[in-house]
């Protein structure tokens, strides 16, 4: 079987990339080894993820109908001071929040994201890919197929052990931390200074933040041996996790002691066995990146390309944004027969963004005594585009919520759509731009602005 694109993995990155490419008329097979819905940690999302999904797939109504818990920002208690500080998505809230009730906040038009049940959220995205025409298969990829110096497909095994070879012009690895392509090609590079584990569980009956935010924001609290997250994912259920450096398995008693040391509104909350059979789970939060995220016949997106410490809740947003950008590059490359050029561009773009995010994470852990320091570091990273932002805090919000890179993606997407329109009309866009510039230049010349005097006979 031969298709345009084979996607490995049906999480947010894989489903998003597959759905966009199918929408662009490409034949796509997506191989996902797990039966959906399936549990996954990472419930706290940033606004840019939803904005980009709506831009490319128009699925905001489906996400709103899912009943996810609203998220208006994050509250941090970090560093030398125990004073809490907020990162709110809508700058109007900086002044108006003290005057609002939870009901008034939810009835307002303030910018927000959602805390999601990843089992439901991921299933929505995979169903969207299927509805767009993606051939979604329950299968595990055990090895890539090489064609000369290129990756040319993969061997798929279904749950019954039947083997199928799918050949493709491009393989997109969205296999998460399995990093199917990266490990097969020997490209995984660990960040030795950001090697942690996360132990987490779900609680019923916890409280919320003071005031209007109540259960509509993430709370992050540093503790002597790491940090704790508090993420309300429904009116009654809360995801609570502890990120720490340890080589040992974290048992339930150790986990409960750790989170009770944190200043979180645990209240009468009780640890429950979640809907997927877990009580206290543990995952490695080891930060890493591929030395290259694209090459002849392949590219990696989401956690398969790299992972950075989850302190800023950027994982799923980074995966969705990266998938949108990758799909745009692939669609343009297949359309113009310039795929290798687009893959090289994607590789450079991704590694630049990953490096910037990594610098911020390292600054966070290495310089955690000054809150203002975080804001100024963010402002430095977007110095060329920070002029319109009135404070370093707004620069921090602009960068860490994904909007800075999302705005860049919007611009590239619009320019691509304009170029396609010009090409379909048979117009040379660059020649047209030069002609317009020349006409404007002529109109600015004094002799062109004055009415001409004609000699009389």
């Amino acid at each position: 079987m031969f298709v345009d694109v084979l996607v490995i993995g049906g999480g947010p990155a894989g489903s998003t990339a597959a759905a966009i490419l199918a929408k662009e008329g490409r034949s796509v097979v997506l191989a996902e080894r797990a039966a959906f819905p399936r549990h996954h940690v990472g419930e706290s999302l940033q606004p840019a993820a939803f904005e980009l999904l709506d831009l490319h797939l128009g699925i905001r109504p489906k996400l709103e109908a899912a009943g996810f818990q609203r998220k208006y920002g994050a509250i941090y208690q970090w560093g030398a001071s125990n004073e809490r500080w907020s990162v709110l998505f809508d700058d109007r809230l900086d002044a108006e929040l003290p005057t609002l009730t939870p009901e008034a906040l939810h009835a307002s038009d303030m910018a927000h994201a959602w805390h999601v049940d990843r089992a439901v959220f991921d299933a929505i995205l995979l169903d969207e890919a299927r509805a767009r025409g993606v051939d979604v298969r329950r299968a595990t990829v055990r090895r890539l197929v090489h064609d000369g110096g290129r990756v040319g497909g993969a061997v798929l095994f279904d749950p019954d052990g039947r083997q199928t070879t799918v050949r493709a012009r491009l393989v997109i690895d969205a296999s998460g931390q399995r990093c199917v392509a990266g490990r097969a090609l020997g490209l995984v590079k660990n960040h030795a200074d950001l090697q942690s584990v996360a132990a987490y569980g779900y609680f019923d009956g916890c409280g919320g933040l003071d005031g209007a935010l109540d259960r509509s924001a993430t709370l992050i609290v540093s503790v002597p041996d790491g940090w704790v997250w508090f993420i309300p994912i429904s009116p009654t259920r809360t995801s609570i996790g502890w990120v720490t450096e340890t080589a040992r398995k974290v048992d339930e008693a150790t986990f409960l002691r750790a989170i009770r040391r944190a200043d979180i509104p645990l209240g009468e909350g009780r640890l429950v066995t979640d809907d997927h059979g877990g009580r206290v789970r543990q995952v490695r939060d080891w930060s890493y990146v591929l030395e290259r995220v694209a090459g002849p016949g392949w590219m990696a997106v989401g956690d398969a390309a790299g992972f950075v410490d989850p302190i800023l809740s950027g994982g799923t947003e980074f995966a969705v944004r990266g998938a949108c950008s990758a799909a745009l590059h692939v669609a343009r490359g297949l359309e113009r027969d310039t795929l290798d050029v687009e893959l090289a561009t994607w590789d450079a773009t991704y590694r630049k963004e990953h490096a910037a995010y990594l610098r911020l994470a390292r600054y966070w852990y290495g310089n955690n005594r000054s809150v203002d320091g975080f804001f100024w570091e963010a402002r430095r990273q977007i110095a060329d585009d920070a002029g319109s932002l009135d404070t370093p805090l707004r620069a921090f919000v602009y960068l860490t919520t994904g909007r800075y890179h999302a705005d860049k993606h919007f611009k590239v997407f619009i320019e691509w759509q304009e170029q396609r329109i010009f090409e379909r009309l048979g117009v040379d866009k660059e020649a047209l731009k030069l002609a317009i510039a020349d006409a404007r230049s002529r109109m600015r010349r004094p002799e062109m602005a004055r009415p001409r005097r004609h000699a009389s006979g």
Side-chain angles (χ1 to χ4, degrees), residues 137 140 169 205 215 230 290 355:
R137 302 186 182 188
T140 300
R169 297 174 68 181
R215 294 179 57 79
F230 182 94
L290 302 193

Side-chain angles (χ1 to χ4, degrees), residues 250-302:
V250 177
D251 60 31
E252 184 173 315
T254 302
F255 169 70
L256 290 174
R257 281 196 301 270
I259 65 169
R260 284 170 180 155
R261 291 199 301 268
D263 184 13
I264 59 174
L266 190 58
E268 300 300 319
R270 57 183 179 83
L271 181 65
V272 299
T273 300
D274 64 36
D275 296 338
H276 310 282
R279 190 167 170 87
V280 174
R281 299 172 179 261
Q282 184 170 326
V283 294
R284 298 190 308 176
D285 278 332
W286 290 11
S287 298
Y288 59 88
V289 70
L290 302 193
E291 293 177 356
R292 290 181 291 112
V293 296
W298 71 277
M299 71 191 315
V301 296

Side-chain angles (χ1 to χ4, degrees), residues 43 69 115-116 200-209 214-219 228-241 255 259 264-272 274 279:
E43 297 96 347
Q69 192 77 1
H115 293 135
V116 302
Y200 66 97
Y202 296 89
F203 291 73
D204 283 346
C206 294
L209 296 165
D214 190 27
R215 294 179 57 79
S216 298
T218 298
L219 175 61
V228 171
W229 78 64
F230 182 94
I231 304 172
I233 59 174
S234 81
T236 59
R237 182 153 294 186
T238 306
S239 170
I240 300 178
F255 169 70
I259 65 169
I264 59 174
L266 190 58
E268 300 300 319
R270 57 183 179 83
L271 181 65
V272 299
D274 64 36
R279 190 167 170 87

